[in-house]
Amino acid sequence: MMHMTFYWGKDALILFSGWPGARTEMYVLALVFVFLLAFLVEWLSGCRLIRKDAGRTAMHGVRAGLAYMVMLAVMSFNGGVFLAAVAGHAVGFLVFGSRVFKKDDDGVGLDGGDYRHRRAGGLRSDLPPISC
């Protein structure tokens, strides 16, 4: 059954037909999957891996696709899926987007990386921020 309002329960239809089904273990796996998708979106938003524009374009496409998968999962209107997506984005931003794990005074982070290249309001990354 397709819900049009938020509901609580493990009997949900998330992303694929018949998944996760009626088993509690599969529902927990689905929540972990949605959490990791959202976490990965935040990682891609803050990482510095690629130097070429074509690679950045491909990375942007991957990030957009993963963000749409998170959005489609949330459209299941299951409260647990919604909380898993928000938690994944929040923890991902905490780890990769905030300055909690990065030193700010000399531009060198705890991992030894150079973070002196800054944009307005934050650290520089391969991709522009997701914005409306």
Side-chain angles (χ1 to χ4, degrees):
M1 179 176 151
M2 183 71 176
H3 292 269
M4 299 310 283
T5 59
F6 276 105
Y7 69 97
W8 293 99
K10 65 176 180 58
D11 297 328
L13 185 62
I14 305 167
L15 293 178
F16 308 107
S17 178
W19 190 69
R23 292 180 34 212
T24 303
E25 301 85 16
M26 292 303 291
Y27 177 69
V28 170
L29 178 66
L31 295 181
V32 170
F33 181 72
V34 170
F35 177 89
L36 291 175
L37 279 178
F39 187 82
L40 188 59
V41 168
E42 293 299 325
W43 176 70
L44 288 173
S45 295
C47 69
R48 296 187 66 188
L49 300 174
I50 298 174
R51 305 265 185 242
K52 298 184 181 197
D53 287 334
R56 288 186 184 139
T57 301
M59 186 187 247
H60 178 76
V62 169
R63 180 182 70 175
L66 293 174
Y68 279 121
M69 283 185 69
V70 172
M71 179 194 66
L72 288 172
V74 170
M75 287 177 60
S76 71
F77 290 104
N78 182 279
V81 172
F82 174 74
L83 292 177
V86 171
H89 280 293
V91 172
F93 180 81
L94 175 71
V95 173
F96 304 114
S98 72
R99 295 183 186 163
V100 170
F101 298 108
K102 297 173 179 75
K103 261 179 124 170
D104 195 30
D105 53 349
D106 63 354
V108 178
L110 296 177
D111 61 355
D114 184 5
Y115 295 103
R116 287 179 284 217
H117 305 289
R118 299 197 183 276
R119 270 190 227 173
L123 302 172
R124 190 171 182 192
S125 68
D126 283 339
L127 300 176
I130 298 175
S131 61
C132 296

